[in-house]
Amino acid sequence: MVFVMLHILGTAIGAGAAFTGDFIFLNSVRKKILYSDQVKILNLIGMFVWLGLFILLVSGIGLYFERPDIYWHSGKFWAKMTIVGILSLNGITYHLFHRPLMERSANKKFSNSLEIG
């Protein structure tokens, strides 16, 4: 039961932070400018997304080892692992490429930034 509660908590933290970050970013896209304060907030929110993913990973491993025979043969389990893998790669790509781009383009109109164009 503890792993299930942690799994739900990790999902709530990660998804909630991701939705909040998306809202802030999409609001800046509408205004065509991303301020440095918003970049700092997005970086902080990103830490919460990673925290949620970490909790999700640890609790998921715990859940798996409680009943490995059931999870190993479950199509739902493998679909979920695929989704978590894709989301993790998306997060890594965001942190390696998009976040530095946003930091360099902070306080500039998107049309005035050579990198965002």
Side-chain angles (χ1 to χ4, degrees), residues 8-76:
I8 293 168
L9 177 67
T11 302
I13 291 172
F19 290 140
T20 303
D22 289 347
F23 176 77
I24 291 170
F25 180 74
L26 291 174
N27 189 42
S28 69
V29 168
R30 186 176 55 83
K31 294 179 180 179
K32 298 190 189 272
I33 189 165
L34 183 64
Y35 296 104
S36 59
D37 290 343
Q38 291 171 316
V39 172
K40 290 176 186 174
I41 291 170
L42 288 171
N43 288 336
L44 178 64
I45 289 171
M47 291 171 50
F48 279 97
V49 172
W50 286 113
L51 173 66
L53 186 60
F54 177 75
I55 294 170
L56 190 70
L57 178 68
V58 170
S59 62
I61 290 170
L63 284 169
Y64 175 82
F65 282 111
E66 282 183 345
R67 308 282 307 267
D69 53 324
I70 292 174
Y71 287 113
W72 187 258
H73 300 290
S74 169
K76 288 180 184 178

Side-chain angles (χ1 to χ4, degrees), residues 50 53 85-98:
W50 286 113
L53 186 60
I86 290 169
L87 291 174
S88 298
L89 287 173
N90 183 52
I92 290 168
T93 301
Y94 167 78
H95 280 279
L96 291 178
F97 299 107
H98 297 287

